[in-house]
Amino acid sequence: MIEEGRFFVPGPTEVRPEVLDAMRRPMIFHRTPEMEALMERAMRRLGMVFGTGRTVHVISGSGTAAMELAVRSGTLRRVLAVVHGDFGERFARMAESCGREVVRLTCEPGDVVPLDRVREALAGGGFDAVTVTHSETAVGVLADVEGIARIARESGECLVLVDAVSSAGGAPIAMDAWGVDCVVSASQKALAVPPGLGFAAASARLLERARVARDRGTYLDLLRYEEFAARWQSPTTPAIPLLYALDVQMEAIEREGLVTRFERHRAMAAACADWIDRAAGQGAPVQIVAKAGHRSPTVTAIRSAAAPAILAGMRAEGFTLGGGQAPIAGNSFRIGHMGDHSVPGVRRLLDALERVLRTL
Ligand code: PMP
């Protein structure tokens, strides 16, 4: 665990030296039993994180690549997009750029789209899939994926595609139990591996859909990933150094245990939220964007007219935080408390934030 973290961007997050060092190992040929063993370990361990017995594909590309795989293989004509912020919007725009018709369900920043609105929209019928961002990194909101999936399953053919880029490894995900058809994620967030790997798991229903999807493309063709995964390989030359890093980190995650890891994330988020709420109560110009009860355990977005001065002050204190993101870009900042960060580390950050707020 990192006790004296300084880098609290909501992805990429701080990576431990041991994980970085793993990337210095010599290359191996990717069509060998050695690589297959490495890939098998990665896929199996990611399956635990995703809560699935399905294969979790490892894509050499960032999280957005995995999102595009989900859209191209999982949708044909019409998509319902639950949009809680910038990344929900990215899913929606991606579907549009792939020629799909998209209906958006939106809400005020920090709020969540009520399940009744999802039910109502789906009752209109005709949607191939619903897209949703589990942890909306732009505003720090955690969506009720289980609830949305339950409603989508009631309405028959509609698949559920989930962006878990900033939740996987930091919040519980139960892909199979929730009836989710696709979970995608990436290496650089709560899994605390350097950026460059995308992950995607597909249900049997999604594979059926992919077989009739006409624009799966080549690089992100889910069916090619499935074909190669049958022998623990990837269709193209994988980012081998990142797989080394992933191997070391997934072993550490297994050692920590997912329950302990999720509890640590919950505790970091609570430490952050309690402190900000208390500061706000004492008149400091800070306010948590996400409503209580809908907060992500991995990222806290804070609304503040003083955001630029706070970010600069924190930089002077040696801490890097995340800037604000649409739709509240200019007047907010974000703390990424994910990956291998710790509660003592978050407290150090909050001590520095207190000093910065006093100077305002
Ligand atoms: N979705 C979410 C929720 C994210 O936080 C991010 C990255 N900030 C992405 C998608 C895109 O991931 P990447 O930058 O790895 O393509």
Side-chain angles (χ1 to χ4, degrees):
M1 244 28 62
I2 302 166
E3 299 262 313
E4 299 194 10
R6 296 268 165 180
F7 190 70
F8 285 86
V9 170
T13 191
E14 200 158 320
V15 178
R16 290 180 301 111
E18 187 196 357
V19 179
L20 291 173
D21 286 348
M23 296 178 62
R24 296 163 49 86
R25 292 179 195 163
M27 291 305 106
I28 53 173
F29 181 38
H30 57 286
R31 305 295 179 206
T32 56
E34 202 180 349
M35 174 54 94
E36 288 164 7
L38 182 63
M39 196 62 108
E40 180 177 356
R41 284 198 298 278
M43 288 174 166
R44 286 194 192 282
R45 286 169 168 157
L46 287 165
M48 304 288 286
V49 171
F50 281 26
T52 186
R54 309 287 307 172
T55 304
V56 183
H57 300 292
V58 178
I59 301 164
S60 295
S62 77
T64 306
M67 290 167 74
E68 187 161 337
L69 174 144
V71 166
R72 288 188 176 276
S73 297
T75 69
L76 303 172
R77 281 172 295 274
R78 215 161 163 252
V79 175
L80 181 68
V82 177
V83 178
H84 291 143
D86 208 23
F87 292 103
E89 177 59 24
R90 179 178 298 192
F91 233 165
R93 286 212 190 124
M94 184 181 280
E96 280 171 342
S97 75
C98 292
R100 279 45 157 187
E101 180 196 338
V102 175
V103 175
R104 288 171 174 74
L105 295 178
T106 60
C107 58
E108 287 300 308
D111 222 331
V112 294
V113 172
L115 292 182
D116 282 348
R117 281 185 58 207
V118 178
R119 184 176 284 112
E120 214 174 279
L122 287 177
F127 290 104
D128 300 320
V130 53
T131 61
V132 59
T133 314
H134 190 202
S135 163
E136 176 51 80
T137 322
V139 289
V141 159
L142 191 76
D144 179 4
V145 169
E146 184 179 10
I148 291 171
R150 194 182 324 114
I151 290 166
R153 299 299 278 209
E154 284 163 12
S155 68
E157 292 301 295
C158 181
L159 303 185
V160 183
L161 313 180
V162 176
D163 166 356
V165 169
S166 72
S167 62
I173 302 172
M175 175 174 165
D176 295 351
W178 293 349
V180 166
D181 296 286
C182 192
V183 173
V184 303
S185 193
S187 50
Q188 78 274 21
K189 306 261 181 184
L191 294 169
V193 170
L197 294 177
F199 310 119
S203 70
R205 295 204 312 168
L206 180 60
L207 291 185
E208 260 172 56
R209 172 71 58 73
R211 285 187 196 104
V212 294
R214 288 279 148 255
D215 58 353
R216 298 192 306 273
T218 301
Y219 194 72
L220 299 174
D221 181 354
L222 171 62
L223 298 185
R224 271 170 53 82
Y225 275 91
E226 287 286 328
E227 189 188 318
F228 280 81
R231 47 185 192 277
W232 307 110
Q233 290 190 9
S234 57
T236 57
T237 317
I240 296 165
L242 291 172
L243 280 169
Y244 291 152
L246 182 69
D247 197 37
V248 167
Q249 177 65 349
M250 291 309 290
E251 193 188 335
I253 290 175
E254 202 168 66
R255 245 184 285 121
E256 180 183 18
L258 283 177
V259 172
T260 310
R261 192 173 180 84
F262 297 150
E263 171 52 27
R264 178 167 54 78
H265 279 81
R266 192 207 58 75
M268 286 192 288
C272 200
D274 291 350
W275 194 93
I276 302 283
D277 281 343
R278 200 171 50 245
Q282 292 166 356
V286 285
Q287 189 196 0
I288 297 181
V289 176
K291 287 210 171 131
H294 301 291
R295 290 174 180 169
S296 168
T298 62
V299 53
T300 300
I302 298 146
R303 207 189 279 273
S304 178
I310 291 172
L311 286 167
M314 288 300 282
R315 244 188 326 271
E317 285 273 354
F319 287 90
T320 308
L321 309 185
Q325 194 152 354
I328 46 169
N331 59 351
S332 66
F333 63 99
R334 296 172 302 152
I335 301 174
H337 32 71
M338 59 174 81
D340 290 339
H341 281 302
S342 61
V343 172
V346 169
R347 291 206 193 286
R348 271 198 186 83
L349 175 157
L350 295 170
D351 289 345
L353 186 56
E354 176 152 31
R355 290 192 289 276
V356 169
L357 287 173
R358 260 197 247 117
T359 66
L360 292 180

